[in-house]
Amino acid sequence: MYKKLQRIQLIITDLAEKNQCFGKLDDGMSVFVQGTIAVGDHVEAEIIKIKKQYLVARLTQILSPAPTRIQPVCNYFGTCGGCKWQHMNYSEQRRLKQKQVTDALHHIGGFTSIHCQPCIPAEEIYHYRNKVDFSFTDLRYLTLEEMEQNPEELQKPIDFALGFHAPGRFAKAIDIDHCHLATPEMNQVLNLTREFALQHRDELPIYSTHTHTGELRNLVVRNAGHTHELMVNLVTTTHQPALMQSLATHLNHALGNTLTTFVNSTTSAKNTVAFGEKEFVMHGEGYISDRLGAYTYRISPNSFFQTNTAQAETLYQQILTTAQLSPDDIVYDLFCGTGSITLFASAHCQKVLGIELVESSVQDAQANAERNQVENCSFLQLDIKNIRSIADQLSRFGSPDVVITDPPRAGMHPNAIQLLREIAPPVIIYVSCNPASLARDGAALAENNLYQLTECTPIDLFPQTNHVESIARFERR
């Protein structure tokens, strides 16, 4: 008979949902353990919930570490929710990411014979991000050690933070001095901006999500992967020209030729999303450029761009490899965004139709095609589930030989899947950032043996995290 707060010992054998790990006791009872744990760890844990079929416990100590466990490089690991896997070596991270995809396809999708390739690794496992979004808050997240100190003993103010939100703490942020996923230039901008903000606290108070007053909201830094151009975008409530020009001078003096552009974006929104309604360019042209393969993209403050440049190229090349396009193929690119996959596909087929819901993304996609002198791409603004409404346009464009779909994390709407089954292209390439959505949607596509899953390749776009991208090929039977 188990009791709450009882201490138990077990070996962790697998990952589980909601950032938990899994193991079994000697009597066969299943246990989900919360905490920073690696598969293979021998742990002691304290029972916090008792169910008929399983227990939930909280890690109290590592009795014997797994062979794959390593020392995290980040001082904020375990507090910041960004890098959940820094305590595991990289080969183990890749193994677990492949297993996530395989398990989802088997348990959720019901696919029994799965040909899942090893997870394609990233060349750089740190400093790979080309965009980082830091948040300002007037409530700094305190560690347990800091909570036990007197306020006058603290090295940092408790009412100022510029960094990342702790998991589940949207009103508080950890004051970050250095992020190991960001480039050195990004970290330099972070600390220069903090220095300036602390010096001008009276004129630039932090925006409060409780009172909805204040100025400083977000600091978004972009550092282009190939061109190395640097954009600083400070999101505030209102535009104060003199102060913003002073900050631009402060940044430019310290960064020199490294700073490409500085933009002050403003928003009246009552949330903390780093999206500006208006933009004021204080230095440079207000945008940067970067390349993916042979294509150049203009990146504005609100533009979407893959956050790992090198791995985005790997992803797109793998899409082409999996799609096996021929020069006569007609291709549809669903959820095409700003057209990056569309452009990559255009050089290998007759023509591509990109379909996207967001108007600004369609405009960016058209501009990207024109900028790169790609003439065999067309773009339509449309909700995919309403694709029947443009049946005549699709008929004129031509029936697709290959459909590439890259839906958001939640996957495809059931209506969109049904319409895709009605169109019934010979090949569907499903690009996914969520194994569960891929498995669920894949099962719906394959219903009644209409399609078979022939290949799946996981790709690691985000080392040190539990996120995995995957590319699946479905062939019509």
Side-chain angles (χ1 to χ4, degrees), residues 422-434:
E422 291 175 12
I423 295 171
V427 174
I428 297 172
I429 305 299
Y430 193 119
V431 185
S432 173
C433 61
N434 184 351

Side-chain angles (χ1 to χ4, degrees), residues 140-310:
R140 183 168 69 85
Y141 182 88
L142 302 180
T143 64
L144 292 175
E145 293 80 5
E146 286 181 311
M147 290 180 185
E148 295 173 354
Q149 292 178 283
N150 294 322
E152 59 272 14
E153 296 175 336
L154 296 174
Q155 296 182 353
K156 292 184 175 184
I158 63 173
D159 59 349
F160 180 98
L162 175 57
F164 301 130
H165 292 285
R169 302 297 184 95
F170 297 106
K172 296 183 178 182
I174 307 159
D175 195 54
I176 299 288
D177 298 314
H178 183 93
C179 174
H180 288 271
L181 300 191
T183 65
E185 293 81 5
M186 289 172 162
N187 284 311
Q188 190 177 2
V189 168
L190 167 68
N191 290 301
L192 287 168
T193 306
R194 177 188 291 105
E195 178 184 56
F196 185 89
L198 286 170
Q199 290 172 354
H200 297 82
R201 294 190 68 178
D202 291 340
E203 304 111 303
L204 288 172
I206 292 176
Y207 177 78
S208 168
T209 55
H210 296 291
T211 64
H212 302 298
T213 59
E215 287 294 330
L216 295 173
R217 293 169 174 257
N218 303 87
L219 172 67
V220 184
V221 190
R222 294 180 185 258
N223 198 183
H226 284 309
T227 65
H228 306 298
E229 293 182 4
L230 182 67
M231 172 191 287
V232 178
N233 176 26
L234 184 70
V235 183
T236 60
T237 303
T238 63
H239 177 57
Q240 300 185 45
L243 275 174
M244 292 301 102
Q245 192 57 60
S246 179
L247 176 54
T249 302
H250 178 69
L251 291 171
N252 201 36
H253 177 75
L255 295 166
N257 294 332
T258 305
L259 181 64
T260 306
T261 190
F262 171 53
V263 179
N264 174 211
S265 297
T266 62
T267 179
S268 59
K270 292 186 176 181
N271 57 37
T272 57
V273 177
F275 191 91
E277 297 164 350
K278 295 181 180 179
E279 296 169 6
F280 300 87
V281 179
M282 310 307 298
H283 175 78
E285 299 296 327
Y287 62 86
I288 59 174
S289 297
D290 204 2
R291 297 189 306 275
L292 287 175
Y295 305 102
T296 300
Y297 297 84
R298 173 171 157 168
I299 306 166
S300 301
N302 289 337
S303 295
F304 170 79
F305 195 74
Q306 288 282 359
T307 53
N308 185 338
T309 306

Side-chain angles (χ1 to χ4, degrees), residues 8 20 31-35 45-49 55-59:
I8 54 177
Q20 300 179 119
V31 186
F32 295 93
V33 185
Q34 301 173 354
E46 186 177 76
I47 297 173
I48 58 175
K49 189 181 294 184
L55 307 173
V56 179
R58 184 186 297 116
L59 175 70

Side-chain angles (χ1 to χ4, degrees), residues 320-334:
L320 296 179
T321 299
T322 307
Q324 303 172 23
L325 299 179
S326 65
D328 294 329
D329 280 344
I330 295 174
V331 177
Y332 288 6
D333 181 15
L334 310 185

Side-chain angles (χ1 to χ4, degrees), residues 452-464:
Q452 62 177 338
L453 172 62
T454 61
E455 183 181 341
C456 186
T457 305
I459 301 178
D460 190 11
L461 263 69
F462 306 105
Q464 316 308 328

Side-chain angles (χ1 to χ4, degrees), residues 307-425:
T307 53
N308 185 338
T309 306
Q311 281 302 90
E313 292 177 324
T314 302
L315 173 70
Y316 295 165
Q317 289 295 342
Q318 186 60 41
I319 290 171
L320 296 179
T321 299
T322 307
Q324 303 172 23
L325 299 179
S326 65
D328 294 329
D329 280 344
I330 295 174
V331 177
Y332 288 6
D333 181 15
L334 310 185
F335 308 94
C336 71
T338 56
S340 51
I341 295 176
T342 319
L343 295 190
F344 261 71
S346 68
H348 303 271
C349 63
Q350 180 190 152
K351 56 183 177 179
V352 193
L353 176 64
I355 301 177
E356 168 60 41
L357 172 62
V358 180
E359 181 180 5
S360 61
S361 293
V362 173
Q363 293 170 351
D364 287 343
Q366 291 169 334
N368 285 329
E370 292 171 7
R371 185 175 299 109
N372 289 281
Q373 300 179 333
V374 176
E375 298 180 348
N376 63 336
C377 289
S378 300
F379 297 95
L380 287 175
Q381 182 194 352
L382 183 74
D383 191 331
I384 302 298
K385 67 177 183 288
N386 297 329
I387 202 167
R388 279 197 187 93
S389 65
I390 57 165
D392 290 342
Q393 288 174 268
L394 296 181
S395 177
R396 288 194 297 271
F397 190 86
S399 298
D401 300 290
V402 178
V403 169
I404 301 170
T405 180
D406 185 10
R409 187 167 182 80
M412 296 180 68
H413 190 281
N415 291 350
I417 294 174
Q418 182 56 39
L419 289 169
L420 195 52
R421 285 171 55 86
E422 291 175 12
I423 295 171

